Amino acid sequence: MSYLPPWAKRLICLVILLCLATAATPRLLEFSDRTFTLTPEQIGTAKTGNNEERILAAIDDIRAGKMADARATVDALLNEQPNYRLAQLLRADLYAMRAMPLDTIGGGAAATNASAPSSVLDDLRKEALVRIAHRNEDQATANKLPANIVVFAPNQQYAILVDASTSRLYVFANENGKPKRIKDHYVVVGKLGVDKRVEGDQRSPLGVYFVTSHLTRPQLDKTYGELADLYGVGAWPISYPNELDRSQNRTGHGIWLHGSPAATYARAPQASNGCVVLTNEEMLKVSSYLQPGNTPVIVAPRVEWLTESEWLQRQSAALALLTQWKSKWENLDSAAYLQFYGDEFRSAEGQTIEAWRSQKTAVNTGKTWAKVQLSDISIFAAGENSSQLVTTFQQDYRSNNLENQMRKRLYWQRGNEGWKIIWEGAATI
């Protein structure tokens, strides 16, 4: 070695050291080596209940550090609903938390899959948050009544109420004229939210509508082919645009209640093109309460909840308003009668408030008496803070020179001067 250059001597020494180090390394992971064992994973207890109750229970257990119970619940959910994306996300989080702490839902998926679109994770977080928010709100509103359901018509057995702010659909039964909550479900609304104005704006409408028909899955398959899967178990069209929408030049069509694609258990809170979407399982449950041509579907920006005494006062005030309008009309008091109409009024025929005033004043001049009877009255409220009333009734009008019966609808708007009629005409459904 004395003849080797210095760099060669250093290289030979380094090789000898590496060989010795390799030989001294313990082989801890060989199957025959009993000096290393894995700690068995703790077996948890899966929670029971419906799918939403179980997903929320899993989130609660994660927050409380009960990881085994959370894993058991999520695994049970995914065994039943393998396409439940929120449950898949929680499973990814539970695996990731074995190696690192997480500070947000979906942190595990974000850490282990950097290519996952942030919009997908954001949508799933939103779904979790709106479900959690509903549970918290539900505890405060369980014994309250919705301001949106004011008066049921005698033949209306149920009403559907959608709270766009919480992605929630409620089914209310007509229990002796009072709304009784019997079911509620998570729903999906338009990708860009609510207050639909034009065709293709990807918003859900706000207002009072009615179920018009039922499109079965075989009917959808025949019409749309493979695209029918978007609607899941079936679709129940609603009457958008309603009479007021058309008078305000709102456009669009094909707004339905419908199910979800087979490959997706539940979609993000804002993911439709304007329809109101449920899981297939829950759409089937809700469908049993839908009567085409009769069941109202009220889509509100936020539901206003009232105590029973507040609700009764609200109902009495709405009925009194309608009675006052009828009385002024019967009394041929044109000036007082026309005070019920707002400056933005449009009739079914397109008359402005000026034309309406002229016509009604001229008609009443030729009357000596008039009698108006209203029956089968329904009143529902929509808009921010229940600021819009939709009154529908069977009208029997008789006077000295005219008799007329019709199904009529009035749209009222609350403003600085109180309630004003902004549309009047025959009810189209």
Side-chain angles (χ1 to χ4, degrees):
M1 289 183 64
S2 59
Y3 299 102
L4 294 174
W7 64 269
K9 294 179 181 179
R10 288 194 292 269
L11 179 60
I12 291 171
C13 292
L14 179 59
V15 170
I16 292 171
L17 288 173
L18 288 174
C19 291
L20 292 173
T22 302
T25 301
R27 295 175 295 171
L28 295 179
L29 299 183
E30 290 184 2
F31 292 116
S32 60
D33 192 331
R34 299 181 180 277
T35 62
F36 180 83
T37 59
L38 290 171
T39 303
E41 185 177 275
Q42 182 181 353
I43 298 175
T45 302
K47 298 297 191 296
T48 59
N50 63 39
N51 291 345
E52 182 171 60
E53 290 169 342
R54 289 190 288 171
I55 202 74
L56 293 177
I59 293 172
D60 290 342
D61 283 341
I62 291 173
R63 289 173 167 175
K66 300 177 181 178
M67 302 305 174
D69 290 345
R71 281 193 294 271
T73 301
V74 169
D75 288 345
L77 262 175
L78 287 173
N79 284 338
E80 298 172 22
Q81 301 290 347
N83 295 325
Y84 197 169
R85 293 177 181 175
L86 181 55
Q88 292 171 348
L89 188 71
L90 293 183
R91 175 182 273 178
D93 282 351
L94 285 163
Y95 278 106
M97 281 188 280
R98 293 172 172 176
M100 60 184 174
L102 301 178
D103 58 5
T104 183
I105 294 173
T112 58
N113 186 3
S115 63
S118 60
S119 60
V120 174
L121 297 180
D122 287 343
D123 283 345
L124 291 172
R125 290 188 189 107
K126 289 174 184 176
E127 180 187 341
L129 291 174
V130 296
R131 291 183 187 273
I132 292 168
H134 163 71
R135 181 180 59 179
N136 296 339
E137 183 180 79
D138 192 51
Q139 296 171 354
T141 62
N143 297 318
K144 292 188 175 182
L145 302 177
N148 307 86
I149 301 174
V150 186
V151 177
F152 276 108
N155 65 338
Q156 287 172 328
Q157 297 178 315
Y158 304 101
I160 304 299
L161 177 57
V162 177
D163 186 330
S165 70
T166 60
S167 294
R168 208 75 193 175
L169 178 149
Y170 298 88
V171 179
F172 285 91
N174 178 356
E175 188 176 71
N176 300 318
K178 187 183 299 181
K180 178 183 178 182
R181 190 194 310 187
I182 57 174
K183 195 176 292 294
D184 63 89
H185 298 292
Y186 166 83
V187 293
V188 176
V189 296
K191 294 175 183 176
L192 296 182
V194 291
D195 198 16
K196 185 172 187 62
R197 294 181 178 274
V198 297
E199 175 83 21
D201 64 5
Q202 296 185 320
R203 294 178 181 272
S204 297
L206 293 175
V208 177
Y209 304 94
F210 294 86
V211 176
T212 62
S213 60
H214 173 206
L215 301 176
T216 65
R217 181 56 191 266
Q219 288 175 305
L220 293 167
D221 287 335
K222 184 176 181 180
T223 303
Y224 297 102
E226 293 182 358
L227 293 177
D229 181 55
L230 176 65
Y231 309 111
V233 292
W236 286 257
I238 64 173
S239 57
Y240 175 87
N242 62 26
E243 301 94 346
L244 181 63
D245 292 326
R246 290 194 292 271
S247 76
Q248 295 176 341
N249 298 316
R250 294 183 183 238
T251 60
H253 69 283
I255 302 300
W256 301 346
L257 302 177
H258 66 75
S260 299
T264 304
Y265 173 73
R267 297 165 69 182
Q270 294 183 351
S272 80
N273 288 324
C275 293
V276 176
V277 183
L278 295 89
T279 68
N280 288 321
E281 174 189 5
E282 292 170 342
M283 184 69 254
L284 287 175
K285 291 178 180 178
V286 170
S287 70
S288 64
Y289 303 100
L290 303 179
Q291 298 173 287
N294 195 28
T295 303
V297 177
I298 307 151
V299 185
R302 176 176 287 277
V303 172
E304 182 184 5
W305 297 99
L306 306 174
T307 64
E308 184 172 349
S309 62
E310 290 171 335
W311 182 84
L312 289 169
Q313 291 174 6
R314 194 73 65 90
Q315 183 188 62
S316 296
L319 287 170
L321 180 68
L322 191 60
T323 299
Q324 291 164 13
W325 167 81
K326 178 184 81 77
S327 298
K328 299 303 180 184
W329 189 14
E330 283 183 316
N331 294 338
L332 304 178
D333 187 347
S334 297
Y337 166 74
L338 291 168
Q339 286 297 311
F340 286 93
Y341 294 82
D343 292 340
E344 298 178 359
F345 172 80
R346 289 291 185 277
S347 72
E349 295 76 23
Q351 289 172 298
T352 64
I353 185 60
E354 291 80 9
W356 184 259
R357 285 172 180 155
S358 297
Q359 179 193 350
K360 290 299 179 181
T361 301
V363 167
N364 281 348
T365 302
K367 303 287 183 185
T368 58
W369 64 270
K371 184 67 176 177
V372 183
Q373 291 184 337
L374 309 182
S375 60
D376 293 332
I377 298 169
S378 72
I379 305 177
F380 302 105
E384 197 70 43
N385 298 318
S386 309
S387 58
Q388 183 186 106
L389 286 180
V390 182
T391 59
T392 309
F393 45 86
Q394 190 66 33
Q395 176 182 288
D396 186 350
Y397 176 88
R398 300 174 188 274
S399 71
N400 59 293
N401 57 8
L402 179 66
E403 291 187 6
N404 175 267
Q405 293 81 40
M406 67 182 299
R407 187 72 176 160
K408 181 176 274 191
R409 183 163 292 145
L410 305 177
Y411 287 83
W412 304 70
Q413 189 68 40
R414 187 178 61 225
N416 295 333
E417 297 181 356
W419 289 102
K420 299 292 184 181
I421 299 169
I422 58 174
W423 189 91
E424 177 176 332
T428 56
I429 184 172

